[in-house]
Amino acid sequence: MSDKAVITCALNGVLTDPKQHNVPVTPEQMAREAKAAFDAGASIMHIHLRQQAPGKGHLPSWEVGVSKEIQQAIREACPGVIINHTSGVSGPNYSGALDCIRETRPEIAACNAGSLNYLKVKADNTWAWPPMMFDNAVEKVKDYLDVMNAAGTIPEFECFDVGIVRCVGMYRQVGMYKGPLEYNFVMGVASGMPADPELLPILIKLKRPEAHFQVTAIGREEIWPLHQRCAELGGHLRTGLEDTFYLADGKKVTSNGQLIEAVAACARRAGREIASPAEARKIFGTNR
């Protein structure tokens, strides 16, 4: 167990529409939201890129220039902050994501460790969106890991289901990855692992014993007992407008800073202090 808890803020996500929700899109907006999260205790900012043209902020971007501008703005607003770059792409064309990692060399980047049928059903028993496959075949995972290794970027292995947690150990066994291990248990996707605190000890048992872990809890006010249990079991913490808009009392937030304040309180209730960026680098072994 790490005595100090590293907090990651997931600033905006890929699916949230800025016309409907108060998510940042431009470098200035990203920097402002990052500063609020940084001041509340987040030492890592997980970023997604959006198209910058007027009215296009709901669409993803893989322009290296956009990534550089956003990272620079965040670093200027939050001295010493760690960037965790998105990489998730469905389908066979993921060269843009590889280019962003290769060219900007973030300290950490998401590495989706396995495939998932990404599904959700509405109250009227129809699909919330057309059923889709979030495909992450072994060959695709290896391409990401090879680029991250060359860039000096630590992968954060995103695990959406129990079998995917077990796959990460296999990647280590066959030599696909040899560096520091960090698992991110993504819990709350309707077709993946539920946001159930009772599941967390099983996931911890299945990870490699030397590895760090955190939880991405997706949902509404029901996710907060999971954050608390993660803190109690020695995990690192993540929240942000990518994952939720709601506090434990059901109140809807307007800023990432409010969510980070709440998750930091979970750590402190568990008797843990919040790691600074320098301490987070030491814990995760980023060597930057």
Side-chain angles (χ1 to χ4, degrees):
M1 173 175 174
S2 173
D3 291 335
K4 294 202 172 183
V6 178
I7 297 179
T8 296
C9 181
L11 288 166
N12 58 349
V14 67
L15 297 175
T16 43
D17 188 341
K19 295 177 182 177
Q20 297 178 336
H21 303 287
N22 191 36
V23 294
V25 170
T26 67
E28 294 77 15
Q29 292 168 349
M30 293 287 280
R32 183 180 66 246
E33 281 293 301
K35 180 67 163 57
F38 189 74
D39 289 346
S43 57
I44 301 176
M45 302 298 159
H46 177 63
I47 63 170
H48 285 257
L49 313 176
R50 304 297 189 88
Q51 293 184 23
Q52 299 296 300
K56 299 293 185 180
H58 61 294
L59 298 173
S61 171
W62 292 106
E63 292 185 36
V64 172
V66 172
S67 179
K68 288 181 176 179
E69 288 181 19
I70 287 173
Q71 291 189 52
Q72 180 180 348
I74 290 174
R75 289 193 175 99
E76 289 176 355
C78 310
V81 75
I82 299 168
I83 299 294
N84 176 329
H85 205 292
T86 183
S87 70
V89 179
S90 295
N93 182 11
Y94 47 95
S95 60
L98 295 179
D99 287 343
C100 283
I101 294 167
R102 185 184 293 113
E103 296 297 326
T104 72
R105 301 179 65 246
E107 288 181 75
I108 301 173
C111 182
N112 294 284
S115 300
L116 181 77
N117 283 317
Y118 208 88
L119 311 173
K120 185 176 181 179
V121 176
K122 296 188 294 185
D124 64 359
N125 297 321
T126 62
W127 295 117
W129 53 74
M132 62 171 286
M133 167 65 78
F134 185 28
D135 58 309
N136 294 288
V138 172
E139 295 79 9
K140 188 174 184 179
V141 174
K142 186 176 186 303
D143 286 343
Y144 278 113
L145 291 175
D146 288 347
V147 168
M148 291 180 195
N149 181 60
T153 298
I154 291 177
E156 176 188 88
F157 287 100
E158 315 293 320
C159 300
F160 291 83
D161 217 336
V162 174
I164 299 176
V165 176
R166 302 178 75 188
C167 288
V168 175
M170 298 182 200
Y171 301 152
R172 173 78 97 192
Q173 281 183 279
V174 301
M176 284 172 56
Y177 178 68
K178 300 178 181 179
L181 271 178
E182 181 186 350
Y183 290 71
N184 180 23
F185 302 138
V186 182
M187 305 173 73
V189 174
S191 54
M193 295 187 290
D196 185 347
E198 293 185 9
L199 179 57
L200 192 51
I202 297 171
L203 301 176
I204 295 170
K205 181 179 179 180
L206 293 175
K207 75 174 182 65
R208 295 279 293 213
E210 74 274 19
H212 297 285
F213 74 94
Q214 71 174 22
V215 166
T216 289
I218 297 174
R220 296 196 174 201
E221 56 267 29
E222 75 276 2
I223 65 176
W224 289 96
L226 176 57
H227 284 305
Q228 188 62 53
R229 189 65 177 137
C230 180
E232 293 166 355
L233 292 173
H236 300 290
L237 302 170
R238 164 181 149 156
T239 191
L241 294 176
E242 175 174 3
D243 304 336
T244 190
F245 300 107
Y246 297 92
L247 298 173
D249 63 2
K251 179 182 177 182
K252 188 172 183 179
V253 302
T254 57
S255 170
N256 282 285
Q258 296 163 281
L259 293 169
I260 298 303
E261 287 175 0
V263 85
C266 291
R268 295 189 176 104
R269 283 194 295 269
R272 300 172 66 193
E273 293 301 316
I274 309 306
S276 68
E279 290 166 333
R281 287 183 171 90
K282 185 176 181 180
I283 290 167
F284 291 150
T286 65
N287 297 318
R288 291 279 181 94

